[in-house]
Amino acid sequence: MLEELPTPASEDADVEVEREEDAPEPEELDAETRERRDHALRFVRKLGDPVLRAKALPVERFDEALQREVERMGELMHDALGVGLAATQLGVLHRVLVYRAYPEDPLTALVNPVIEWRSEELEIAEEGCLSLPGVHVEVERAARVRVHAQDPRGEALEVEADGLTARVIQHEVDHLDGVLILDRISREARKEAMRAMREAQEAAAA
């Protein structure tokens, strides 16, 4: 848990995890996009739901049901204007995550991901979370990672990533282990984050 936050080292330090790069603020969205985003977010579990603290189980069956699950996750992530989504955020205890760090990137699905290596170099960047509306906190993570996983067909994958992509992967793997960004910040920062989330909820209900 971080008690002191060093100066941001990443060129992506102002990019929010789980929100598309350069995505407009909710109040700036056109009516159709806002409706699609609000609809998608209704499927995303929020803080307080016990599933967000559960550890996902390894996937053993690579079938059409898994393919559909991955497709649905990708669609909901896109509609929610997110850059990453873990199955547990939808209430599914599968070790599955999807991400697209940049709009020009293809959607990537990682099944049973294991972070095999993290760089000693660390970076600080702001992260948000679809499960924590209104929360934006600075989180320290490894600048580069190497991940072993499987694709939705069961084929072995190895992904080496840096910058925002590495951050998104680490964020989503945390979700699969029941870890939230609130667990990776100081107590004082956590209090501020909870206050921001309450204010966001009150504004949405107004």
Side-chain angles (χ1 to χ4, degrees), residues 148-162:
H148 175 75
Q150 292 163 282
D151 68 16
R153 294 179 177 80
E155 298 296 324
L157 283 178
E158 185 173 275
V159 176
E160 294 192 11
D162 58 13

Side-chain angles (χ1 to χ4, degrees), residues 10-197:
S10 171
E11 63 182 3
D12 295 314
D14 60 347
V15 179
E16 177 185 336
V17 171
E18 293 217 359
R19 182 162 175 255
E20 282 187 348
E21 185 182 19
D22 299 326
E25 296 297 327
E27 61 272 14
E28 299 172 349
L29 298 173
D30 61 80
E32 181 181 346
T33 302
R34 185 184 300 112
E35 181 179 355
R36 190 168 64 242
R37 179 176 183 270
D38 290 346
H39 177 74
L41 287 174
R42 282 198 285 270
F43 292 95
V44 177
R45 304 297 180 92
K46 306 301 190 296
L47 182 67
D49 192 313
V51 75
L52 294 176
R53 291 303 191 179
K55 191 165 185 176
L57 302 174
V59 172
E60 297 179 351
R61 295 184 61 179
F62 294 82
D63 53 13
E64 290 186 9
L66 179 62
Q67 302 271 351
R68 290 193 298 270
E69 179 182 333
V70 167
E71 289 175 7
R72 179 171 179 266
M73 289 175 64
E75 291 168 358
L76 288 173
M77 183 193 76
H78 173 75
D79 289 350
L81 304 182
V83 294
L85 188 67
T88 49
Q89 290 180 275
L90 301 180
V92 179
L93 289 178
H94 286 168
R95 294 194 73 80
V96 180
L97 65 86
V98 297
Y99 67 91
R100 181 188 287 117
Y102 299 99
E104 65 272 16
D105 291 346
L107 178 72
T108 299
L110 300 181
V111 182
N112 300 328
V114 175
I115 299 178
E116 296 183 322
W117 173 83
R118 290 178 169 88
S119 67
E120 293 185 5
E121 178 188 359
L122 304 175
E123 295 178 341
I124 295 287
E126 185 177 81
E127 295 188 16
C129 182
L130 298 178
S131 294
L132 303 170
V135 172
H136 309 96
V137 296
E138 290 188 329
V139 180
E140 183 180 59
R141 296 196 189 273
R144 299 181 303 281
V145 296
R146 183 171 63 245
V147 184
H148 175 75
Q150 292 163 282
D151 68 16
R153 294 179 177 80
E155 298 296 324
L157 283 178
E158 185 173 275
V159 176
E160 294 192 11
D162 58 13
L164 178 60
T165 302
R167 179 166 295 275
V168 173
I169 291 172
Q170 291 172 86
H171 181 114
E172 302 309 333
V173 170
D174 269 359
H175 273 303
L176 298 180
D177 292 328
V179 177
L180 301 176
I181 54 176
L182 296 177
D183 305 321
R184 295 197 174 278
I185 59 178
S186 70
R187 182 179 301 176
E188 190 59 35
R190 189 159 56 247
K191 290 179 182 177
E192 290 293 328
M194 295 301 292
R195 182 158 46 246
M197 188 166 66

